Every structure is written in C-alpha cells, then in structure tokens.
Amino acid sequence: MLKIAILVALHNKGSVMNKITFAFGLCVPLLAIAASPSDASRYIQELDATMKVAQKTLVAGELKAISAQSRSFSQLQSRGEVFGKSVFDEPFGYCFGAGVHAQAWWQAQLAAAQRGGTEPNPGWIKRALANYQENKAACLNAVKGGGKPATEQIASTSDTPPRKGCLAVLGVRADGNVGTVAYTCPKK
C-alpha cells in the first residue's frame, strides 16, 4: 500500500510565496532534537518508578498522596514534550507517547478506585498499560539506535517507491506539475 504525504506550494505569478507542508501525522515523521538517548532512558525510568509507587498510593487511600501522585503524572507527561508532541516525532516521539499512556493508566486507575474498583470503561486500565508498554518499548528501541531517525528522505520523481515501506512525498515538480518529488523510507 502506498501512503502519501503532500507538500503544497502556493504560487504567485510563477514565484513561490509560501510553502505549506501538510504532514499527515501517519505519513511524515518530524524531528524532535532537544533530547538525547540518556534523557529518554531516564524519562522511562521515572515513568516506571512513578507507576510502581502509584499502585501503593491508591491502596493506601490517602487523598493528599493521591493528589501528589496525580501532579507527578501530569508533570511527567508535560516533561515528555521535550521528545516531541506526537509518536511520529523522531527519534523519541514514542517516549512522549509513553508519558501520555502512563497518565491515561493513572486516570483509569483513579476512575476505577472512585467506583469501588469497577472500571467505567471495562478494559481501560489494561489497554492503557498495554499502550504504555508498547510506547515504552519503541522509545527504548530509539535509545538503542542512538537517537538517530529511523527514516531517510530519498529524492525521486518516479511513481515506484525505491523499496518496500516508503511513503511518497508529493509536491510541485520543476515542470510545475504536482507529483512525487521524494520518498520517506525506513533506514536500511
């Protein structure tokens, strides 16, 4: 299946006025450059530790401790934005995703605790934890890769992708027509 990212150039009598990139989140990864592999690794360790303490906090049932735990999750989620604001931000977007899902897991835990242990949405806690673990694993894979982007851009006007898994980037070609101008491909 060919997925497409679109690059649109607005023209004014033949000259390019603005370039607007419509990066469909599923198509074009962006770079999050403000973090290092060690930052990402530490962030995941903090999330794990906070989640471990969270269950004990809920069992204890002390409102001040539960409130403090909620603030911790919110702060961690906000701090995760240094890795990007989407899982598609390379190389550490999944670290941000892990923080979002850790927060969702906590919210699911709180909602169930407020209802005497019954989840308002059956399976919510399990799904949030599975999503956290999936994003955590992807984040740690990026750490192992040294924080290098997992994709590369290959200039090409061919309608045939250079290899499996490549996404077409459409734009205005030199002849003025809209068509494929490059491919974003997984690195070999």
Side-chain angles (χ1 to χ4, degrees):
M1 172 176 21
L2 179 67
K3 295 181 182 175
I4 300 174
I6 300 174
L7 175 67
V8 177
L10 301 175
H11 292 274
N12 180 19
K13 297 181 184 175
S15 66
V16 177
M17 283 178 42
N18 289 317
K19 286 185 181 178
I20 302 172
T21 302
F22 294 100
F24 292 108
L26 296 175
C27 298
V28 180
L30 303 172
L31 289 176
I33 57 174
S36 70
S38 61
D39 293 335
S41 184
R42 269 192 309 276
Y43 182 67
I44 293 297
Q45 290 170 356
E46 288 180 58
L47 287 171
D48 283 340
T50 302
M51 290 176 78
K52 187 174 182 179
V53 169
Q55 290 193 321
K56 293 176 185 173
T57 302
L58 274 178
V59 170
E62 296 177 19
L63 294 179
K64 283 186 180 184
I66 290 171
S67 177
Q69 194 68 38
S70 291
R71 281 191 303 278
S72 292
F73 274 106
S74 293
Q75 289 167 355
L76 277 170
Q77 182 181 342
S78 292
R79 281 191 20 234
E81 290 181 6
V82 70
F83 303 110
K85 294 193 179 192
S86 162
V87 295
F88 301 105
D89 291 336
E90 288 191 329
F92 299 119
Y94 282 102
C95 303
F96 166 76
V100 168
H101 291 294
Q103 172 77 353
W105 173 83
W106 173 247
Q107 293 298 323
Q109 292 279 355
L110 283 176
Q114 291 170 343
R115 289 166 182 78
T118 304
E119 293 178 78
N121 301 311
W124 186 14
I125 294 171
K126 185 177 179 180
R127 281 190 306 276
L129 182 59
N131 288 335
Y132 167 72
Q133 291 169 337
E134 182 180 313
N135 280 265
K136 172 185 167 180
C139 173
L140 293 175
N141 281 339
V143 168
K144 286 180 191 172
K148 294 181 178 77
T151 60
E152 62 184 330
Q153 193 158 42
I154 300 170
S156 173
T157 57
S158 169
D159 288 331
T160 304
R163 59 180 181 263
K164 186 178 178 180
C166 294
L167 307 175
V169 178
L170 299 180
V172 179
R173 295 180 179 177
D175 63 6
N177 293 320
V178 174
T180 302
V181 295
Y183 286 91
T184 299
C185 301
K187 284 196 174 182
K188 290 183 179 181

